[in-house]
Amino acid sequence: MPHPPPPPRTPWGAFPDVLIHASESAVKQHPAYWAAKTGSGAAALALVNDTMSDQANQRLLNLMQGHVPTLVSAHAYEREGVNAIPEIFADELSKTLSWPVDNGVLQINAVGHTGADGFSRLARQARFAGAVQPGGEYVLVDDFIGMGGTLANLKGHIESNGGRVLAAVVLTGKPHSAKLALTPERLHELRTKHGTELEQWWIERFAHAFDALTESEARYLARTEGADTIRNRIAAGQQA
């Protein structure tokens, strides 16, 4: 059975930093977190109501001034069930901001990113399906940002189908992960470290060059000693 094509990615341009609502401790130590992560809508609602930030919402409104984008969430499949947090978070943002929400774009594979290392995240990438409004403007919503690959692939799905992604917002994540758009300095570091042969291999494997990586993905690869290590760890992660 042939493998499906890699999920698309699109150029970053001047993509703004992801808006993070709450600290990891506030979210992950919340009593409703695990139930929300494993499918409970009621638990997700309690978690979102306790950790959603009015200040972050105001920053998003300021960033989107003059636009009324559609909110679309990264419905993530976990080993334990469907993560209820992104969809509930999008619904609550919709009520607060008076923006429409589209629940029709769905993640269609299970990637097992929770607790996974960086190579496993790079190897097992989220795929999305669902109708996109051509010319429509979107804001991405997720519960957590780590290396940013899921948001990058959701952006790629929307933009390769004619939409435009203006921003992204998450409930929690590390502050340094907020920068999705790859900087020229990081791209130069990665290409200098590993050369053109690895980038060509990456294009054959993932159908995009290094310039479509997130800042965190590129930093992870640039800090890895040797192109052979990267190829072997990616191959192992895809077979897991």
Side-chain angles (χ1 to χ4, degrees):
M1 183 175 176
H3 291 292
R9 292 218 179 170
T10 48
W12 287 111
F15 197 79
D17 289 356
V18 177
L19 291 166
I20 299 175
H21 274 243
S23 69
E24 283 192 82
S25 59
V27 172
K28 293 185 176 181
Q29 295 176 19
H30 191 283
Y33 175 73
W34 185 246
K37 194 78 172 173
T38 54
S40 170
L45 182 60
L47 173 67
V48 168
N49 284 337
D50 285 348
T51 56
M52 188 166 67
S53 162
D54 292 339
Q55 290 83 1
N57 283 335
Q58 188 58 55
R59 290 198 300 272
L60 182 58
L61 283 170
N62 293 343
L63 186 64
M64 294 293 101
Q65 194 167 15
H67 300 269
V68 183
T70 297
L71 298 159
V72 60
S73 62
H75 301 18
Y77 290 94
E78 308 286 346
R79 284 185 292 267
E80 298 81 9
V82 178
N83 181 357
I85 304 169
E87 186 172 4
I88 295 295
F89 187 25
D91 289 343
E92 291 306 296
L93 287 171
S94 175
K95 294 174 187 175
T96 300
L97 304 175
S98 298
W99 291 349
V101 63
D102 182 354
N103 291 319
V105 175
L106 304 171
Q107 185 177 322
I108 57 173
N109 63 332
V111 293
H113 280 180
T114 300
D117 68 10
F119 285 111
S120 296
R121 289 173 176 270
L122 287 162
R124 302 194 298 268
Q125 297 203 11
R127 300 174 184 277
F128 293 90
V132 174
Q133 180 65 40
E137 296 182 329
Y138 293 84
V139 167
L140 310 182
V141 181
D142 206 354
D143 66 322
F144 175 78
I145 183 169
M147 296 177 76
T150 297
L151 289 173
N153 290 356
L154 179 53
K155 174 178 176 289
H157 170 74
I158 290 170
E159 294 190 335
S160 64
N161 285 283
R164 181 179 173 219
V165 177
L166 303 181
V169 58
V170 297
L171 200 58
T172 193
K174 292 179 172 59
H176 71 257
S177 297
K179 183 170 289 298
L180 279 179
L182 180 62
T183 62
E185 295 80 11
R186 187 72 68 188
L187 180 59
H188 176 73
E189 177 191 6
L190 178 58
R191 284 175 167 164
T192 301
K193 176 75 173 286
H194 295 304
T196 58
E197 184 183 349
L198 181 65
E199 185 164 14
Q200 186 57 46
W201 178 87
W202 197 272
I203 292 168
E204 293 168 1
R205 182 65 65 111
F206 294 108
H208 67 77
F210 284 163
D211 59 2
L213 294 167
T214 70
E215 177 74 4
S216 292
E217 288 173 336
R219 180 174 59 246
Y220 193 85
L221 293 175
R223 291 178 178 176
T224 301
E225 287 300 328
D228 285 343
T229 298
I230 291 172
R231 283 190 286 258
N232 292 339
R233 294 292 300 277
I234 291 289
Q238 288 179 322
Q239 292 168 6

